[in-house]
Amino acid sequence: MPLAKYRHIVVEGPIGVGKTSLARRLAEHLGANLLLELPEQNPFLPRFYQDMARHALPTQLFFLFQRINQLRELAQPDLFNGMTVGDFLFEKDPLFARLTLSSDEWLLYRQIYDMLRPQAPPPDLVVYLQADPETLYARVRRRGVDYERPITEEYLALLADSYSRFFYHYSDSPVL
């Protein structure tokens, strides 16, 4: 598959599957710009993993605004020069929100998401990575990020299942 014909490639999958590692390698190999999620910048994330119900909404809204800002320049074709490889797909953002928000918070989040959704073009190719929850859990443990310590294998199983359902219905871009 000649990847050079794609201007925007996204690597996606659940926590610990290897998105960022593959995105970095692809960008380096292809001489592409790199667009990465920046979870370390989310001040709510450590508290979210300690108490998901209490901190889900601010965590999710921070990520939503962060991703909107990151994708803003993709909506302007003259600024989107060359190839870009990223490790997140904006359209999957509600997947996390649906898993963690209460029904009232979900409705509020969905209103904000629908109003602010950037008009960035869909990726030319999505590379969807999968792994079983045990593997995801082992990888999260191995990388040793302090705020990720409370992540459970059960949460990763729900997340992996949600990703499977999401990509079963996803049709905006070709998926590898």
Side-chain angles (χ1 to χ4, degrees), residues 68-122:
I68 287 169
N69 286 331
Q70 288 179 290
L71 292 173
R72 215 167 252 157
E73 61 187 52
L74 293 181
Q76 301 175 21
D78 57 315
L79 295 177
F80 185 37
N81 296 321
M83 179 185 283
T84 298
V85 175
D87 71 347
F88 67 93
L89 178 66
F90 183 79
E91 290 77 10
K92 66 86 189 185
D93 199 70
L95 178 150
F96 281 88
R98 193 72 184 125
L99 276 180
T100 59
L101 298 177
S102 70
S103 57
D104 290 340
E105 290 172 333
W106 165 250
L107 292 174
L108 174 63
Y109 166 84
R110 197 60 213 204
Q111 288 176 337
I112 295 168
Y113 176 89
D114 290 339
M115 287 185 68
L116 298 178
R117 182 182 186 141
Q119 296 304 310

Side-chain angles (χ1 to χ4, degrees), residues 44-55:
F44 302 100
L45 195 55
R47 288 176 275 174
F48 168 75
Y49 286 127
Q50 294 294 325
D51 185 350
M52 287 185 179
R54 183 172 178 200
H55 299 288

Side-chain angles (χ1 to χ4, degrees), residues 6-61:
Y6 300 109
R7 290 175 39 110
H8 184 200
I9 299 172
V10 168
V11 180
E12 246 315 344
I15 298 167
V17 78
K19 296 180 296 287
T20 304
S21 297
L22 180 57
R24 285 182 194 279
R25 288 183 182 144
L26 275 175
E28 183 179 330
H29 176 74
L30 298 168
N33 298 313
L34 189 59
L35 184 63
L36 298 178
E37 271 186 324
L38 303 168
E40 66 280 354
Q41 291 182 1
N42 189 330
F44 302 100
L45 195 55
R47 288 176 275 174
F48 168 75
Y49 286 127
Q50 294 294 325
D51 185 350
M52 287 185 179
R54 183 172 178 200
H55 299 288
L57 185 59
T59 302
Q60 198 61 45
L61 289 176

Side-chain angles (χ1 to χ4, degrees), residues 148-168:
E148 291 181 338
R149 291 196 194 290
I151 294 176
T152 64
E153 194 172 320
E154 293 77 21
Y155 175 70
L156 292 171
L158 282 172
L159 196 55
D161 182 61
S162 293
Y163 267 97
S164 293
R165 282 186 271 117
F166 173 82
F167 277 110
Y168 180 79

Side-chain angles (χ1 to χ4, degrees), residues 123-134:
D124 299 311
L125 178 67
V126 176
V127 179
Y128 169 41
L129 303 178
Q130 300 175 61
D132 60 74
E134 298 81 19

